[in-house]
């Protein structure tokens, strides 16, 4: 069980998976503010705070590498109790359950692609991110964040939307927005996605934990076509020339399932990470 | 297109005038006083019957007025919710549409800043009252023994049942926790 499940999961609900616990998808719609209470300042939301904290760490990357490494260690040790957004890779089968459970579900623009690629997604035909829950009812409070608006989707529509991005090779990452509250399931790729990049390039774990699954290949069914190699965002699959087949490095595998959904011969399956002694603590 | 990028002067919170109207009409002090007066010299069985009658009527009127005023005083959060429901299908009115009216009812009559929502999804709406003024009032006026009978539960249960019935949502309402035993009351509406 990952540390987020230990903190926010319910052992009696969906094998203790925190992101499938309905409580983590639930929130009040309204709050009564005291007469003298001012609205929170811009940037005080968890997403912005997390970005700011990671930004502060990054400034030491070249100026003070020791401090940079130390701050990353400290951030990882906080395990979500600090001001860092929690994100975890999930396979599409679990993303389906999430969009069935949460309401409303809306497509929206990806903030990472704006920041990292200057790529604006201006309308529902271009959006690639998915917002979840009551927060989406107040999207107009941040017009700069939600450029173009949002597009509310029924569960079946949301599933088709996830399939569209999965086919394109995007990793589904479930994201929190304050505590354990699940506010989005992003469709991510390297290097656009800030969370994947922070994890893969710098070792900042909180925003991109590995999934509860790990990919396993059936060599009898693998034809060595290489589709899975192309689809893996984490460099966990390589083509083995001597075998004429592909091979998965399970220690590197994030369990996103893109190799599984892309495999033309169904040679790859996802197995429970915790069933493998060497991987059960690798998140 | 430009107007999309500008923050509008919307209110996303509940209208304070609406909350004030409800607070005055459904003051928990008044209903608990009425109950206290009604049970003087009555037996345990009669107390339960009085509690049921008084609090059921209170709960029914309280939620119906909350719903009526909630429609008369819309806010942007509600407008966007209606847009979302319109786009995704009426079936998905549950749980957020009833949740809004329940939040209005409780936030207007209890000294709380939020109504803790434990679950709100297409199958279940679960909410919790932790520091309940009605219970505290009953304890103060009638003593702990009577307060612990929770005559006030009839108000919460009736309110939740009436709301779903009036909204045309087939839901089964249950009380999942009680203040004297659990430290809070918890109510759940499950789609039938």
């Amino acid at each position: 069980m990952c540390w987020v499940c230990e903190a926010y999961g319910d052992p009696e609900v969906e094998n203790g998976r925190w992101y499938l616990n309905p409580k983590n998808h639930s929130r009040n719609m309204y709050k009564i503010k005291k007469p003298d209470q001012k609205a929170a300042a811009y940037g005080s939301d968890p997403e912005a705070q997390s970005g700011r904290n990671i930004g502060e760490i990054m400034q030491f990357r070249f100026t003070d590498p020791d401090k940079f490494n130390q701050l990353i260690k400290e951030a990882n040790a906080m395990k979500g109790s600090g001001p860092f957004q929690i994100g975890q890779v999930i396979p599409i089968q679990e993303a389906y359950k999430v969009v069935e459970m949460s309401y409303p579900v809306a497509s929206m623009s990806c903030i990472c692609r704006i920041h990292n690629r200057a790529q604006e997604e201006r309308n529902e035909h271009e959006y690639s991110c998915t917002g979840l829950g009551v927060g989406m009812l107040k999207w107009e409070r941040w017009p700069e964040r939600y450029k173009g608006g949002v597009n509310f989707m029924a569960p079946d529509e949301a599933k088709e939307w996830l399939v569209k991005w999965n086919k394109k090779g995007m990793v589904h990452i479930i994201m929190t927005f304050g505590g354990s509250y699940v506010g989005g399931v992003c469709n991510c790729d390297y290097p656009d996605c800030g969370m994947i990049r922070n994890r893969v390039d710098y070792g900042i774990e909180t925003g991109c934990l590995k999934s509860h699954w790990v990919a396993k290949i059936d060599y009898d069914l693998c034809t060595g076509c290489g589709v899975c190699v192309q689809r893996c965002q984490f460099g966990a699959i390589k083509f083995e020339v001597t075998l004429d087949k592909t091979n998965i490095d399970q220690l590197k595998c994030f369990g996103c399932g893109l190799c599984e959904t892309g495999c033309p011969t169904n040679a790859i399956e996802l197995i429970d990470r915790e069933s493998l002694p060497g991987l059960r603590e690798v998140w | 297109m430009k107007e999309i990028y500008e923050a509008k002067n919307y209110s996303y919170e509940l209208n304070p005038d609406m909350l004030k109207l409800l607070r005055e009409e459904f003051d928990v002090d008044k209903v608990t006083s009425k109950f206290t007066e009604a049970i003087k010299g009555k037996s345990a069985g009669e107390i339960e019957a009085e509690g049921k009658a008084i609090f059921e009527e209170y709960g029914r009127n309280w939620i119906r007025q909350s719903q009526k005023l909630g429609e008369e005083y819309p806010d942007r959060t509600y407008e966007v919710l209606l847009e979302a429901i319109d786009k995704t299908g009426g079936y998905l009115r549950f749980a957020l549409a009833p949740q809004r009216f329940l939040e209005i009812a409780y936030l207007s009559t209890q000294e709380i800043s939020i109504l803790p929502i434990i679950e709100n999804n297409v199958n279940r709406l679960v909410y919790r009252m932790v520091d309940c003024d009605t219970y505290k009032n009953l304890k103060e006026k009638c003593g702990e023994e009577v307060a612990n009978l929770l005559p006030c539960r009839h108000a919460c249960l009736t309110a939740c049942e009436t709301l779903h019935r009036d909204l045309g949502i087939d839901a089964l309402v249950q009380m999942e926790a009680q203040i004297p035993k659990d430290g809070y009351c918890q109510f759940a509406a499950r789609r039938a």
Side-chain angles (χ1 to χ4, degrees):
Chain A
M1 188 177 285
C2 72
W3 55 262
V4 196
C5 288
E6 279 170 12
Y8 303 120
D10 178 345
E12 291 178 11
V13 179
E14 292 282 355
N15 290 326
R17 303 281 148 82
W18 68 276
Y19 46 85
L20 297 178
N21 180 356
K23 288 178 183 170
N24 295 325
H25 291 259
S26 306
R27 187 174 268 188
N28 52 297
M29 291 166 75
Y30 299 102
K31 183 177 184 178
I32 304 294
K33 291 193 179 92
K34 289 173 186 161
D36 56 346
Q37 192 179 347
K38 287 184 180 167
Y42 173 75
S44 60
D45 58 289
E47 186 187 9
Q49 273 184 16
S50 188
R52 194 178 291 163
N53 291 327
I54 289 169
E56 280 174 16
I57 294 174
M58 287 301 164
Q59 67 178 318
F60 296 108
R61 190 172 154 219
F62 295 113
T63 58
D64 191 344
D66 289 342
K67 186 166 183 179
F68 175 71
N69 291 328
Q70 180 58 31
L71 288 172
I72 289 176
K73 258 188 204 169
E74 287 171 14
N76 290 341
M78 283 184 192
K79 293 192 169 181
S81 60
F84 289 95
Q85 202 170 11
I86 300 169
Q88 186 161 30
V89 171
I90 56 171
I92 193 165
Q93 296 87 342
E94 290 187 327
Y96 288 157
K97 290 185 181 180
V98 166
V99 297
E100 274 173 3
M101 183 197 310
S102 204
Y103 188 81
V105 178
S107 62
M108 53 187 264
S109 63
C110 167
I111 193 76
C112 293
R113 292 195 179 96
I114 294 175
H115 284 193
N116 296 337
R117 291 276 199 197
Q119 182 187 330
E120 273 196 9
E121 296 171 350
R122 292 158 296 186
N123 55 56
E124 63 190 78
H125 305 293
E126 296 177 357
Y127 298 155
S128 62
C129 197
T130 326
L132 304 169
V134 294
M136 294 314 296
L137 302 175
K138 304 185 184 193
W139 69 268
E140 290 162 310
R141 291 192 294 180
W142 302 280
E144 275 296 313
R145 166 66 187 88
Y146 295 97
K147 280 186 176 178
V150 304
N151 177 42
F152 292 111
M153 299 182 288
D156 286 346
E157 207 181 336
K159 286 182 195 170
E160 282 173 24
W161 154 263
L162 289 167
V163 168
K164 170 185 153 181
W165 290 108
N166 192 283
K167 278 186 179 165
K168 281 178 185 268
M170 299 293 178
V171 177
H172 312 295
I173 301 185
I174 194 97
M175 306 291 301
T176 61
F177 289 80
S180 61
Y181 179 66
V182 175
V185 56
C186 310
N187 301 303
C188 310
D189 65 340
Y190 179 89
D192 291 12
C193 171
M195 294 304 197
I196 294 182
R197 205 164 164 175
N198 290 336
R199 173 77 196 250
V200 172
D201 289 351
Y202 311 118
I204 300 173
E205 295 170 358
T206 314
C208 184
L209 288 174
K210 292 180 177 182
S211 89
H212 284 259
W213 306 92
V214 69
K216 186 185 168 201
I217 198 159
D218 181 336
Y219 289 108
D220 291 336
L221 294 175
C222 176
T223 60
C225 69
V227 170
C228 54
V229 181
Q230 292 169 22
R231 283 171 70 81
C232 183
Q233 300 279 345
F234 302 100
I237 310 180
K238 68 170 185 170
F239 186 78
E240 297 280 0
V241 180
T242 49
L243 296 170
D244 207 21
K245 293 176 189 292
T246 50
N247 191 32
I248 298 171
D249 181 345
Q250 292 183 322
L251 205 60
K252 284 187 181 173
C253 175
F254 273 63
C256 66
L258 282 179
C259 53
E260 182 209 24
T261 53
C263 179
T265 59
N266 295 322
I268 298 174
E269 64 170 333
L270 291 178
I271 56 172
D272 192 336
R273 180 176 293 276
E274 289 170 81
S275 68
L276 303 168
L279 294 178
R280 65 167 58 126
E281 297 301 328
V282 179
W283 299 105
Chain B
M1 195 62 157
K2 188 174 176 280
E3 65 178 24
I4 269 176
Y5 303 118
E6 290 169 358
K8 298 188 177 65
N9 194 24
Y10 290 133
S11 172
Y12 296 89
E13 296 301 334
L14 296 172
N15 186 300
D17 293 337
M18 171 186 70
L19 296 176
K20 189 164 175 273
L21 286 171
L22 284 165
R23 190 171 298 125
E24 284 166 1
E25 191 174 348
F26 296 95
D27 187 346
V28 294
D29 187 53
K30 285 182 196 164
V31 69
T32 50
S33 294
K34 185 180 172 185
F35 172 74
T36 309
E37 204 53 42
I39 62 164
K40 274 183 183 162
K42 300 271 173 75
S43 66
E46 289 169 322
I47 289 172
E48 170 60 19
E50 285 292 349
K52 189 167 163 44
I54 290 170
F55 283 104
E56 272 190 359
E57 187 193 13
Y58 171 86
R60 196 176 304 112
N61 295 337
W62 171 47
I63 201 66
R64 284 197 167 139
Q65 190 67 348
S66 298
Q67 195 186 344
K68 181 173 172 283
L69 292 182
E71 294 290 4
E72 286 173 16
Y73 291 84
D75 49 74
R76 189 59 187 159
T77 307
Y78 185 44
E79 287 170 356
V80 177
L81 171 62
L82 293 179
E83 283 172 20
I85 292 169
D86 190 45
K87 173 90 176 17
T88 57
Y91 181 79
L92 296 165
R93 276 180 312 151
F94 184 85
L96 293 189
Q99 180 182 322
R100 176 174 185 264
F101 298 118
L102 286 163
E103 286 194 45
I104 290 173
Y106 283 93
L107 291 173
S108 63
T109 52
Q110 298 278 332
E111 291 296 322
I112 50 175
S113 59
I114 60 158
L115 177 68
I117 302 295
I118 308 303
E119 271 187 53
N120 60 353
N121 51 61
V122 293
N123 299 316
R124 265 163 63 92
L125 170 60
V126 183
Y127 54 97
R128 188 176 282 182
M129 268 307 299
V130 181
D131 198 18
C132 177
D133 289 324
T134 316
Y135 175 74
K136 281 192 282 186
N137 258 268
L138 285 172
K139 210 168 164 182
E140 206 174 281
K141 290 172 183 166
C142 312
E144 195 163 356
E145 201 178 325
V146 172
N148 284 350
L149 295 172
L150 291 183
C152 48
R153 75 186 186 281
H154 293 295
C156 292
L157 285 166
T158 303
C160 194
E161 283 164 357
T162 304
L163 175 64
H164 285 91
R165 200 179 311 120
D166 289 355
L167 288 171
I169 297 167
D170 199 4
L172 179 70
V173 174
Q174 284 179 318
M175 188 172 193
E176 292 187 332
Q178 302 189 348
I179 283 182
K181 188 158 63 81
D182 307 293
Y184 55 85
C185 285
Q186 185 163 300
F187 300 91
R190 185 166 53 82
R191 201 194 273 272

